[in-house]
Amino acid sequence: MLPVTEPLLSVRSLSVEFDAPGSGPFARRRTLRALDGVSFDLIRGETLGVVGESGCGKTTLARAILQLTPASAGRVLLHGEDLSKLGRFALRQRRRAMQLVFQDPLASLSPRMTIGEIIAEPLRAHAEGRDTGARKARVVAMMDRVGLLPGLYDRYPHELSGGQCQRVGIARALVLEPDLVVCDEPVSALDLSVRAQIVNLLMDLQHEMGLALLFIAHDLSVVRQVSHRVLVMYLGRIMETAERDALFAAPRHPYTRALLDSVPVPDPTLARARTVRTLPGDPPSPLDPPSGCVFRTRCPHAQPLCAERVPVLRQVGGSLVACHFAEDI
Amino acid sequence: MAAAAEPILVVDDLNVSFDTRDGELRAVRGLDFALYPGETLGIIGESGAGKSQAVLAVLGLLPTNGRATGSARYRGRELIGMPGSELNAVRGARIALVFQDPMSSLNPYLRIRTQMVEVLAHHAGLRGVEARRRAVAMLEAVRIPDAVRVLERYPHEFSGGMRQRVMIAMALLCDPDILVADEPTTALDVTVQAQVLEILRDLQRSRGIATLLITHDLGVVAGQCDRVLVMYAGRIVESGSVDGIFNQPQHPYTADLLRSIPRLDRQGRLNAIAGDPPDPMLAPPGCPYAPRCSHRFERCDRERPLLGARLSGAAACHLDAAGD
């Protein structure tokens, strides 16, 4: 096993650009920078929560890490190995170690395959457990681990509840015993009374299997529940990153503060007592990001400097924060 | 507060069912509630609890395979079974609607001005300059900057938050008595949700519109509502004041739900509820929550508990004081 301090996953200055069609037949093609210079490390047994609103690049980040979307710049290192330098065959080998859990549990399961076949599919694809008896035993053991009764082995996804389907999705991701699991909004499509089951299951499995988890969600309460560290993104850039408790106790970036302020509290007494300072406007278009700090158009503390210079991530208190005035606010 | 006044909407024994390939699906079963002037009544429940189907039935908006029985009276006028032409005069003018997805409720081919003026012409007989002035005033009321220019634009030119504000402005054009908001902020980002919720609170305060807010978000309910109905498997399992529901929940489902959600101000392992929401095609004889309830006893499987009065509000549970 790796020493704990060595990162399992290192992301270095990762950028992703998409071509966006211009409007009109002669318009210049435009570039949409979905991810702009993102760097972080993830160690074994650690959960990194990634939060941000729609369009902030969190799903693009997941896809770029898994080499499903090509990066325009930067590197993704797994066990110190640059994934973009690998050939197709070698990358396919490394994919065993990186798995994905999707948002919509039913849509991400093939309707024509049984639950047993779905969970066995990664084993088949990676030519593991050719002995069908042994393969089935592994699938059944995995089903047990995620809380699926063995009687569901021959059932089809549409016969299962949303929560059960997400357990199948998790079992499929874990059956190859990966090192890294990327969860993209894994509970937001589930019924309210079922979410806690899946959150607890993911936390238990992570602990038992020593997984590194990249947990992407827009729900800050869920992210706080599962994460050791949190990354706050806005318009493709990291605004702030810190240990979970530091971030929620003393957020340094104005955007992190606004996000935390905006979450409705499920307590009428507290809700009446607090004044929500709502952010004006909407996130700007990623096709036409503001100069300097991308958050400045909605920031209550914006100064002329913010339009001129892009703030770099720097240590303030317990956080790495990209704000020129993090000390003053 | 509201309790002294006459309710403006009274729903009595409302049942909604759908004909499906697999048989009859009973989405709402014997729903009773009253909405009072100026209050915000929250209906909370998970998907399949029947909360949206209940309000669609009240407004005569069920799909063709849906059927509503029972009664829903707006200021004494029966809405269930009301002829379409008559219902159109109430709906949109007296009772306004805001849905989750504003894009699907706005016509993508028409300028905002055309859509707003059409509403005013149809319901209020306003035309020309007067209609236009009214439209601008409503857009300004929902804090849309540069309202005169916004009128000339098309829905796709707006962000989700702007569209939802335009929808709210359109809903309020005819000065309705009741605003029905079905998951109005579910599709929005959290910072934009905060803006829209603030606007809804302000409008409520300044205009005194009775609001029926349907949501699955307990945080939204806590910040917006005066009273709350908790629905499960097509029925109300608990009703009460927002403080009663959150501070002293009387039904195990409400209590369990409140304990299961992660919160920014709380740490520790979540108390997950076992099992799944019930299949709406099935209706076992006892309490619909019994299979998941930690207080379950023999009577719960045999006999469905009726909604009975509690210290505050009402709950449908065989336990005297649930959650103890």
Side-chain angles (χ1 to χ4, degrees):
Chain A
M1 212 182 94
L2 288 167
V4 192
T5 44
E6 190 171 320
L8 173 85
L9 174 76
S10 294
V11 173
R12 289 288 172 272
S13 309
L14 191 64
S15 296
V16 173
E17 289 177 353
F18 297 111
D19 271 345
S23 45
F26 304 111
R28 197 164 47 89
R29 289 190 77 81
R30 295 184 293 176
T31 307
L32 188 156
R33 182 165 283 192
L35 207 60
D36 192 356
V38 169
S39 301
F40 64 87
D41 287 332
L42 186 59
I43 58 171
R44 265 191 98 83
E46 183 185 35
T47 300
L48 177 68
V50 180
V51 289
E53 301 179 280
S54 47
C56 76
K58 51 193 195 295
T59 296
T60 304
L61 173 64
R63 294 183 55 87
I65 288 171
L66 298 169
Q67 307 293 304
L68 298 171
T69 295
S72 54
R75 291 183 303 160
V76 176
L77 303 123
L78 187 74
H79 295 303
E81 187 177 44
D82 190 341
L83 293 179
S84 65
K85 297 264 193 310
L86 296 177
R88 261 177 63 188
F89 182 75
L91 181 60
R92 198 177 145 81
Q93 292 287 307
R94 305 307 185 277
R95 280 233 160 90
R96 305 172 39 114
M98 315 184 283
Q99 295 291 321
L100 180 60
V101 174
F102 298 90
Q103 172 172 4
D104 186 336
L106 189 56
S108 58
L109 304 178
S110 166
R112 293 176 205 282
M113 289 167 79
T114 65
I115 301 310
E117 287 167 349
I118 289 170
I119 300 172
E121 182 67 10
L123 294 173
R124 206 188 53 72
H126 286 277
E128 255 197 43
R130 275 179 214 279
D131 168 7
T132 46
R135 193 187 285 170
K136 178 166 181 178
R138 267 178 88 172
V139 170
V140 172
M142 198 64 236
M143 287 176 69
D144 180 54
R145 257 183 131 162
V146 300
L148 290 168
L149 294 172
L152 295 173
Y153 189 90
D154 292 314
R155 299 287 200 84
Y156 288 89
H158 73 268
E159 300 177 88
L160 271 56
S161 68
Q164 286 173 322
C165 284
Q166 195 56 298
R167 288 175 196 268
V168 174
I170 292 168
R172 175 179 59 185
L174 297 185
V175 73
L176 285 171
E177 296 179 5
D179 299 321
L180 170 69
V181 177
V182 176
C183 302
D184 191 358
E185 300 276 8
V187 300
S188 53
L190 299 177
D191 270 319
L192 200 56
S193 67
V194 177
R195 285 183 192 175
Q197 295 172 14
I198 301 298
V199 166
N200 285 348
L201 175 67
L202 281 169
M203 291 177 77
D204 291 346
L205 290 168
Q206 192 232 10
H207 194 71
E208 290 164 22
M209 301 176 73
L211 302 168
L213 221 59
L214 194 71
F215 191 96
I216 297 169
H218 69 280
D219 184 333
L220 281 119
S221 318
V222 174
V223 165
R224 176 167 174 274
Q225 180 70 27
V226 303
S227 306
H228 300 110
R229 264 192 314 137
V230 180
L231 201 69
V232 180
M233 294 185 62
Y234 188 80
L235 226 65
R237 293 191 198 161
I238 296 177
M239 296 289 107
E240 180 167 4
T241 176
E243 296 293 318
R244 185 257 316 260
D245 291 341
L247 187 101
F248 284 93
R252 297 288 173 172
H253 198 286
Y255 179 60
T256 314
R257 291 188 181 191
L259 266 184
L260 292 178
D261 262 3
S262 300
V263 178
V265 266
D267 181 326
T269 317
L270 292 177
R272 278 190 290 267
R274 76 175 188 163
T275 42
V276 178
R277 286 156 295 166
T278 55
L279 278 185
D282 297 282
S285 161
L287 275 170
D288 188 19
S291 65
C293 173
V294 284
F295 182 59
R296 70 176 164 84
T297 52
R298 300 174 78 196
C299 182
H301 308 283
Q303 309 275 334
L305 175 68
C306 305
E308 289 158 21
R309 268 214 341 252
V310 178
V312 290
L313 275 178
R314 63 203 174 89
Q315 188 81 38
V316 178
S319 291
L320 277 175
V321 55
C323 173
H324 294 305
F325 301 101
E327 288 89 348
D328 312 332
I329 57 171
Chain B
M1 211 200 68
E6 283 280 296
I8 55 174
L9 179 71
V10 180
V11 171
D12 197 4
D13 195 23
L14 181 71
N15 290 277
V16 180
S17 58
F18 294 91
D19 293 323
T20 72
R21 269 190 316 188
D22 303 325
E24 188 191 40
L25 187 157
R26 293 187 60 199
V28 179
R29 300 159 188 257
L31 185 70
D32 299 322
F33 72 87
L35 179 69
Y36 292 89
E39 75 167 342
T40 296
L41 177 64
I43 303 183
I44 189 150
E46 302 176 71
S47 54
K51 53 197 193 306
S52 292
Q53 302 313 326
V55 296
L56 290 179
V58 167
L59 296 163
L61 294 173
L62 288 177
T64 48
N65 67 334
R67 212 172 34 250
T69 62
S71 162
R73 288 185 306 279
Y74 163 71
R75 294 190 184 279
R77 292 163 69 194
E78 182 58 55
L79 298 175
I80 305 294
M82 184 184 267
S85 55
E86 216 178 314
L87 197 55
N88 273 336
V90 175
R91 192 170 55 199
R94 309 317 320 142
I95 306 179
L97 279 161
V98 175
F99 291 110
Q100 175 175 342
D101 179 7
M103 200 58 200
S104 64
S105 337
L106 290 167
N107 186 331
Y109 297 110
L110 298 178
R111 290 178 200 280
I112 298 300
R113 171 173 48 81
T114 318
Q115 305 193 43
M116 292 186 89
V117 167
E118 186 181 19
V119 171
L120 285 167
H122 185 83
H123 288 299
L126 287 182
R127 282 172 214 290
V129 183
E130 210 177 334
R132 199 187 153 83
R133 192 181 305 137
R134 183 71 171 272
V136 170
M138 267 338 296
L139 289 176
E140 281 167 353
V142 296
R143 299 185 207 160
I144 288 180
D146 213 0
V148 177
R149 290 221 342 249
V150 163
L151 271 185
E152 302 307 320
R153 292 167 68 181
Y154 292 89
H156 75 266
E157 299 180 66
F158 300 119
S159 66
M162 278 282 273
R163 262 183 232 137
Q164 195 57 294
R165 278 187 277 173
V166 169
M167 271 311 297
I168 295 169
M170 282 181 67
L172 299 178
L173 273 177
C174 300
D175 227 345
D177 299 325
I178 301 175
L179 176 68
V180 176
D182 188 355
E183 302 275 6
T185 58
T186 305
L188 304 178
D189 278 322
V190 63
T191 59
V192 179
Q193 163 173 282
Q195 298 167 8
V196 171
L197 290 176
E198 196 186 3
I199 287 167
L200 284 174
R201 274 197 304 270
D202 276 5
L203 290 170
Q204 161 93 54
R205 234 173 274 144
S206 59
R207 291 164 189 257
I209 304 169
T211 306
L212 202 54
L213 177 67
I214 297 154
T215 177
H216 68 275
D217 188 322
L218 290 162
V220 171
V221 169
Q224 306 288 123
C225 298
D226 302 305
R227 286 194 305 133
V228 183
L229 308 175
V230 183
M231 285 187 76
Y232 192 77
R235 298 181 194 275
I236 295 175
V237 293
E238 178 165 2
S239 69
S241 71
V242 68
D243 292 282
I245 293 276
F246 279 84
N247 299 331
Q248 282 181 299
Q250 299 292 307
H251 195 284
Y253 173 61
T254 317
D256 290 349
L257 207 53
L258 284 167
R259 270 197 296 266
S260 79
I261 52 168
R263 289 173 54 157
L264 286 182
D265 56 349
R266 213 162 51 185
Q267 296 242 34
R269 192 179 167 82
L270 300 177
N271 293 292
I273 305 176
D276 294 293
D279 183 342
M281 298 299 290
L282 307 172
C287 170
Y289 189 60
R292 310 175 76 185
C293 184
S294 55
H295 302 279
R296 171 190 195 173
F297 56 105
E298 179 267 332
R299 192 178 167 198
C300 304
D301 295 325
R302 190 162 36 84
E303 185 189 327
R304 186 172 61 77
L306 303 175
L307 201 61
R310 294 296 163 93
L311 273 175
S312 67
C317 179
H318 290 310
L319 290 172
D320 285 337
D324 292 341

